[in-house]
Amino acid sequence: MSKIALENHAIVIPGDILAEGNVRYGEGIIKRGDYYYSTVVGLFQDKGDFIQVKSLKGKYVPRSGDLVIGKIIEVGLTNWIIDIGSPYFAVLLANNATEKKFDPVKDDARRIFNVGDIILTKIVSFDRTRDPQVITNERGLGKLRGGRIIEIEAAHIPRVIGKKGTMINMVKRLTRTQIITGQNGRIWIQGKKKEDELKAIESIKKIELEAHTQGLTDRIRDMLSENNNNEIR
Amino acid sequence: MAGDGTVQLIDEKGKRLDGRNFDELRPISIKIGVLENADGSAEIRMGNNIIIAAVYGPRELHPKHRALPDRALIQCFYRMSTFSVNDRKSPAPSRREKEISMIISNALTSVVFTEKYPRTTIDVYLQVLQADGGTRCASLTAASVALADAGIPMRGLIASVAGGLINDKVVLDLYDIEDQKGSGDVPLGYCPVLDEISLVQLDGVFTLEQFEECLKLSIKGATEIYDIQKKALQDKYAAIRADVSVDAKETKKEVKPKEEPKAEIKEESQAVKEEPKEAIKVAPKPEIKAKPKEEPKTEVKEEPQAVKEEPKEAVKVAPKPEIKAKPKEEPKAEVKEEPQPEIKDEKEAK
Amino acid sequence: MGDDFVISEIEKDYIKSLLEQKKRIDGREFNQARNVEFELNLVKKAEGSAIVTLGGSKLIVGVKAQLGSPFPDTPDTGVITTSAELSPIASPYFESGPPSNDAIELARVTDRAIRESHCVDLSKLCVIPKKSVWILFIDFYILNHDGNLFDAAVIGAVAALATTKIPKVKMLEDDEVEILEEVEPLKIEHYPISVTSYKIGEYNIIDANFKEERVSEARVTVGFDEKDRIVSLQKGATGVYKPDELLAVIKESLNVSKTLRKELMKALS
């Protein structure tokens, strides 16, 4: 029935014809008539019964349920405006910030989160008519202290995490760091030593850069183990 | 058009002053990703034109009341550097720059899925470092690839070039002197994969036959430019391609499209989600006919309509101002008008 | 510059804690400037031009020469006028519109380094006293902002001037002047270099990048000529210096200026 016009993993640009006929398709594609076209610059993926185009770049688009790392850029009387690296600033209402009820008369929002604070937060609603609403009053959410923040393309976050978290857990273990990955491409890293943090950053950058290659997990393991040996010596 | 057709711009053999044939483009090169801070960027060199395009966004729009509730606004800022032309241009934006900014943003709006990012702005900055005729076309060509480089979803790329009339002959891609001394030009923005014209203006006097010939020639030229755009993007991304399919395979089993991520920081829940059919929401109405070339009309949105009406007006109000030899202004006077710091203050301060 | 940018507390703390260990976020020494690169004479329609990159900061400078009237109080010298545009092309934190105070400061600091060093002998730009002199417009556009635009602007302006060619003129009757096709290079008398030092806490670092600049409390831009004389100086931002500290900073900057000038001369030769 269907005819695929391109090789798997081809780089496509907006408007390229990808396939003809009847095929299941995902992101980065529109269908007009019998033809399927790419809408973004990206990697064409043909999985037999399913095609899609993975965009390699672009702003993070919020989705309800996503955990993201945000930066407070404005503090209101009863709310905060947060840069989550997306086209939209997120809004955190005081009542969604802490487990305790917020009293605007007594409580000072700045004492909870101030401008420049980095927070781990969860998107609870976003429907394109209103800015994304986020919360920090669940376990594990809230202000991140110390450590470092790096940013990568949001599209590469899944690769950094790996299957069931294998990749990121390995990096954490071998670099003795704590790592939190935000779906918006921001990653928080904290180690006891700065060198450990640097090693973790180095590996994440390598994962992003070599995301397309096979056997990446092994190479990252080798790289980090080598480092460890050097240190012992 | 200043030209009265008296200057010999093309010889009997059909060679132009710079040695090109009537249907030949100037050499074009496009570099992608030339500015680190921008979300997408490109540098185009077309003959002696040098233009940098930078895209920021989609991002929050200020002031907010200008935001569109159902789609993104595309704001274009076409600017000539003061030193890009023979006589120094005043740094303040001219009417010509504002008009060109508008028609370029109209053209781009026709190909971008603006409905994907309601209430935001996509800002496109076009800085002309050197002008050699046809800067609006080269700018549109560069803007279009810079948008793609920013990862913004589009229906297709626009390639742009002007056709024109010199010594009563229709030629492609006018450069400086031809622009000044020729008798007309028709800048065209054209998307080859959609067969859509998203920018067209006309300056000068054409017979219907000449216009038709001009259009054909520019479409041919734009199609050649399109191939250069495509190659530039492919080359850049081939270098940094990321085979995300590896993850998709690995995670296929445990990830269902509708799974809600949990509140706790579990990396597993953050894996790639395939979003089958999500694209349908943003797609323009499906067409009935199979070949893309035959039915641009059925899916034209509002924006392109607007663009098409544009040129009529534009022809009246926009007599190609810049490249004409303007009478030399007294530089002194210009210094005073400048909103920039100037030597005068320096003197007075002493 | 880039005032809308909120630097996170985490990054601020990180930058500061590194400084305590005598380290910088990009691995440089405190007194080390970033790499400088030039692309000369790109714009043929300008009399002179240069694209300069200083680390991640990138700008283009163009020089246009036009005949005009001299100022009444300096009837026999030419004129230099400098303008800067912090174009929104360069940073998500620049806005379009009339020149900001930052752009004005940038242009004026650059202008002083060029003017006070006598980089160009203005008397040679006089064509007919009281009537006609060359006006050199030095205009720069920031293309990518990664901190310390001052030093990039000055070195870029000198590079652009060094590539500048002024048309020869022919005197006609009644003080009329004809501009000829033939050109001659503008003579550069001195090669000023500016070096900016940024103060973060008790530390002074040379040539801050964008994030360091956002954390800093004060900066001082010093221009030196090739004879190691100070030709311009500007303290910026709200922080303060102790006298000894300022002197130490200036000495450090002088050393850096020599390195940068070497790079400039290499590019020009």
Side-chain angles (χ1 to χ4, degrees):
Chain A
M1 267 305 280
S2 63
K3 210 175 105 193
I4 306 290
L6 294 165
E7 275 178 32
N8 196 14
H9 298 173
I11 299 285
V12 294
I13 69 166
D16 278 354
I17 295 181
L18 309 172
E20 185 189 345
N22 246 325
V23 58
R24 281 203 318 128
Y25 64 100
E27 61 187 285
I29 295 178
I30 54 162
K31 186 181 185 190
R32 283 199 306 265
D34 279 344
Y35 291 88
Y36 298 82
Y37 300 85
S38 170
T39 63
V40 289
V41 180
L43 194 72
F44 175 64
Q45 298 178 331
D46 173 10
K47 296 169 183 175
D49 59 340
F50 181 79
I51 58 169
Q52 65 178 354
V53 175
K54 274 279 171 201
S55 173
L56 298 176
K57 234 177 128 183
K59 288 256 162 106
Y60 164 72
V61 177
R63 280 184 310 190
S64 185
D66 276 1
L67 285 171
V68 296
I69 293 177
K71 179 165 74 180
I72 310 278
I73 54 169
E74 245 180 82
V75 183
L77 272 180
T78 58
N79 67 1
W80 295 264
I81 306 294
I82 301 151
D83 162 18
I84 53 169
S86 96
Y88 307 91
F89 293 140
V91 180
L92 171 61
L93 298 173
N95 280 332
N96 294 331
T98 56
E99 278 158 39
K100 210 180 87 196
K101 193 152 169 48
F102 185 86
D103 178 353
V105 180
K106 283 198 328 239
D107 297 332
D108 179 0
R110 282 178 193 277
R111 304 191 75 143
I112 303 172
F113 300 126
N114 207 345
V115 171
D117 281 354
I118 296 285
I119 60 170
L120 177 65
T121 182
K122 189 172 88 168
I123 295 171
V124 288
S125 75
F126 173 61
D127 61 7
R128 291 172 191 275
T129 63
R130 287 178 56 197
D131 285 337
Q133 298 275 324
V134 296
I135 59 165
T136 51
N137 57 359
E138 281 181 11
R139 204 164 72 80
L141 303 182
K143 185 167 164 176
L144 297 174
R145 290 163 212 273
R148 295 197 61 185
I149 291 282
I150 61 164
E151 272 181 56
I152 66 170
E153 282 291 329
H156 290 140
I157 285 289
R159 190 66 171 122
V160 169
I161 291 162
K163 179 185 173 189
K164 288 195 165 191
T166 42
M167 183 72 93
I168 200 72
N169 286 332
M170 181 184 76
V171 174
K172 284 189 211 173
R173 198 177 62 244
L174 292 177
T175 59
R176 294 170 297 265
T177 53
Q178 279 183 282
I179 301 179
I180 297 173
T181 47
Q183 286 293 13
N184 56 344
R186 294 198 183 140
I187 302 174
W188 176 84
I189 300 157
Q190 187 173 42
K192 284 212 174 70
K193 286 187 284 183
K194 291 218 163 37
E195 295 78 65
D196 292 340
E197 290 174 0
L198 281 177
K199 252 181 259 166
I201 291 170
E202 204 186 323
S203 2
I204 289 166
K205 293 257 164 84
K206 191 176 165 74
I207 296 167
E208 192 190 18
L209 214 71
E210 301 178 14
H212 61 287
T213 55
Q214 301 286 327
L216 185 56
T217 316
D218 294 338
R219 274 206 312 286
I220 296 292
R221 181 186 297 116
D222 292 348
M223 176 182 124
L224 290 173
S225 315
E226 229 170 74
N227 276 338
N228 286 343
N229 293 342
N230 287 345
E231 207 174 70
I232 293 161
R233 248 177 260 157
Chain B
M1 278 275 139
D4 44 15
T6 52
V7 182
Q8 189 71 25
L9 295 167
I10 187 162
D11 67 17
E12 295 77 33
K13 289 176 193 155
K15 285 273 184 224
R16 293 149 76 175
L17 290 182
D18 61 356
R20 280 185 292 156
N21 290 323
F22 77 100
D23 63 345
E24 210 176 321
L25 292 167
R26 287 171 283 181
I28 298 176
S29 69
I30 297 175
K31 262 197 270 174
I32 312 283
V34 293
L35 301 179
E36 234 174 88
N37 286 344
D39 295 313
S41 61
E43 181 195 284
I44 186 168
R45 298 190 184 200
M46 187 175 190
N48 288 322
N49 287 315
I50 308 174
I51 299 160
I52 291 185
V55 171
Y56 284 91
R59 61 182 176 182
E60 295 255 336
L61 175 61
H62 298 287
K64 271 203 162 177
H65 67 83
R66 290 187 54 223
L68 306 172
D70 56 344
R71 60 201 157 97
L73 189 65
I74 296 185
Q75 305 190 90
C76 225
F77 304 87
Y78 164 96
R79 296 292 308 277
M80 308 262 296
S81 306
T82 52
F83 45 77
S84 62
V85 282
N86 286 328
D87 291 324
R88 178 175 181 269
K89 189 204 154 288
S90 149
S94 64
R95 288 160 57 95
R96 173 184 172 274
E97 288 172 300
K98 286 178 183 165
E99 188 220 345
I100 292 180
S101 300
M102 186 183 72
I103 59 163
I104 291 178
S105 90
N106 286 344
L108 294 171
T109 303
S110 76
V111 291
V112 171
F113 287 105
T114 52
E115 58 272 39
K116 270 211 102 165
Y117 306 100
R119 301 178 290 116
T120 63
T121 176
I122 298 171
D123 295 328
V124 181
Y125 298 100
L126 297 158
Q127 190 76 38
V128 178
L129 302 183
Q130 178 156 277
D132 188 40
T135 55
R136 76 190 66 192
C137 292
S139 295
L140 178 53
T141 300
S144 171
V145 287
L147 279 171
D149 180 45
I152 290 168
M154 300 160 83
R155 294 158 64 228
L157 300 181
I158 300 174
S160 180
V161 65
L165 214 47
I166 55 174
N167 305 130
D168 242 17
K169 181 135 181 51
V170 172
V171 298
L172 182 64
D173 190 18
L174 302 187
Y175 78 110
D176 212 352
I177 180 117
E178 295 175 338
D179 204 21
Q180 288 170 35
K181 306 287 184 195
S183 42
D185 81 332
V186 181
L188 182 85
Y190 177 74
C191 177
V193 295
L194 300 168
D195 190 31
E196 286 178 1
I197 294 169
S198 47
L199 181 152
V200 54
Q201 294 184 298
L202 185 145
D203 225 341
V205 180
F206 289 73
T207 65
L208 198 58
E209 290 74 33
Q210 284 171 331
F211 179 76
E212 208 178 320
E213 205 187 325
C214 194
L215 202 61
K216 261 191 212 153
L217 202 53
S218 313
I219 287 177
K220 178 189 97 66
T223 309
E224 288 171 32
I225 294 172
Y226 179 81
D227 290 338
I228 298 169
Q229 290 175 306
K230 180 169 174 158
K231 184 160 188 314
L233 281 166
Q234 282 179 333
D235 286 355
K236 153 122 197 254
Y237 282 93
I240 61 161
R241 88 166 63 189
D243 185 353
V244 194
S245 67
V246 177
D247 309 290
K249 240 176 262 160
E250 286 169 353
T251 52
K252 219 175 192 172
K253 278 164 198 163
E254 59 272 4
V255 176
K256 289 167 202 104
K258 275 180 190 164
E259 191 179 331
E260 276 288 295
K262 284 149 205 151
E264 293 210 358
I265 315 151
K266 275 193 191 157
E267 276 86 15
E268 297 91 298
S269 68
Q270 300 175 348
V272 185
K273 281 178 215 142
E274 289 173 359
E275 294 170 4
K277 304 295 167 195
E278 199 245 11
I280 284 180
K281 281 180 240 157
V282 301
K285 274 179 197 157
E287 295 158 8
I288 310 128
K289 288 185 189 170
K291 276 205 170 173
K293 286 209 169 175
E294 286 162 32
E295 41 14 23
K297 280 279 152 61
T298 49
E299 58 141 59
V300 167
K301 293 181 283 176
E302 283 154 35
E303 299 87 340
Q305 216 80 20
V307 175
K308 277 173 191 154
E309 283 162 18
E310 199 81 45
K312 279 184 199 158
E313 253 181 59
V315 172
K316 284 182 222 144
V317 295
K320 264 266 147 139
E322 123 242 39
I323 305 168
K324 265 188 232 169
K326 274 209 301 190
K328 268 208 174 170
E329 271 175 51
E330 183 75 347
K332 186 79 183 290
E334 200 186 336
V335 175
K336 275 185 190 152
E337 280 167 22
E338 278 185 45
Q340 314 274 356
E342 56 192 44
I343 183 164
K344 265 263 140 164
D345 314 342
E346 202 74 42
K347 293 259 157 188
E348 279 156 13
K350 274 181 187 171
Chain C
M1 280 171 232
D3 284 346
D4 286 347
F5 177 75
V6 173
I7 188 154
S8 74
E9 289 303 314
I10 285 180
E11 268 172 318
K12 226 188 241 180
D13 291 348
Y14 184 71
I15 289 173
K16 287 181 177 174
S17 70
L18 271 186
L19 290 178
E20 281 163 25
Q21 300 176 22
K22 297 274 173 276
K23 286 180 187 161
R24 291 172 71 172
I25 36 173
D26 53 12
R28 279 184 291 153
E29 303 290 328
F30 280 17
N31 61 358
Q32 188 184 352
R34 292 169 291 179
N35 284 340
V36 61
E37 279 171 31
F38 304 89
E39 191 177 346
L40 302 174
N41 249 333
L42 176 81
V43 182
K44 306 291 180 222
K45 297 212 173 180
E47 273 69 46
S49 65
I51 286 186
V52 58
T53 56
L54 178 64
S57 284
K58 178 173 182 173
L59 55 83
I60 180 163
V61 189
V63 178
K64 289 296 279 185
Q66 285 181 1
L67 284 179
S69 315
F71 289 109
D73 54 345
T74 53
D76 51 1
T77 63
V79 174
I80 286 185
T81 166
T82 309
S83 85
E85 187 167 316
L86 303 185
S87 155
I89 205 170
S91 161
Y93 311 104
F94 289 164
E95 282 169 18
S96 48
S100 61
N101 288 341
D102 287 334
I104 291 169
E105 185 187 21
L106 180 60
R108 289 178 62 90
V109 168
T110 309
D111 188 78
R112 276 204 289 278
I114 302 293
R115 183 186 311 279
E116 301 305 327
S117 66
H118 302 285
C119 169
V120 175
D121 182 352
L122 292 182
S123 65
K124 289 187 184 157
L125 295 179
C126 179
V127 179
I128 304 169
K130 291 187 199 159
K131 296 268 159 117
S132 189
V133 299
W134 283 110
I135 301 178
L136 298 184
F137 292 91
I138 305 174
D139 294 324
F140 43 96
Y141 294 83
I142 312 302
L143 299 176
N144 201 69
H145 178 20
D146 189 24
N148 187 19
L149 299 174
F150 295 97
D151 301 349
V154 172
I155 205 167
V158 177
L161 285 170
T163 66
T164 298
K165 294 185 179 70
I166 306 278
K168 290 191 173 170
V169 292
K170 193 169 122 192
M171 301 293 174
L172 305 173
E173 286 165 25
D174 297 334
D175 283 350
E176 288 291 307
V177 176
E178 188 191 333
I179 299 176
L180 304 175
E181 291 277 310
E182 207 185 327
V183 293
E184 58 186 344
L186 179 71
K187 182 152 190 298
I188 304 298
E189 313 283 341
H190 296 284
Y191 291 85
I193 294 285
S194 100
V195 176
T196 304
S197 178
Y198 292 78
K199 181 169 174 170
I200 302 174
E202 58 188 290
Y203 305 103
N204 286 292
I205 55 170
I206 294 287
D207 181 28
N209 61 30
F210 182 73
K211 281 181 177 162
E212 289 172 335
E213 191 172 271
R214 295 307 302 152
V215 180
S216 70
E217 300 105 58
R219 61 175 147 77
V220 58
T221 302
V222 193
F224 300 96
D225 67 9
E226 68 285 348
K227 292 177 179 153
D228 297 347
R229 295 176 300 198
I230 299 173
V231 294
S232 66
L233 194 150
Q234 173 101 343
K235 199 223 80 167
T238 54
V240 294
Y241 291 89
K242 298 269 184 222
D244 287 348
E245 184 186 12
L246 184 63
L247 285 173
V249 162
I250 291 173
K251 279 179 195 154
E252 202 68 81
S253 300
L254 173 62
N255 288 330
V256 177
S257 76
K258 294 179 185 175
T259 319
L260 287 176
R261 188 175 297 104
K262 215 178 276 168
E263 293 300 317
L264 172 66
M265 301 317 280
K266 203 160 62 181
L268 292 178
S269 65

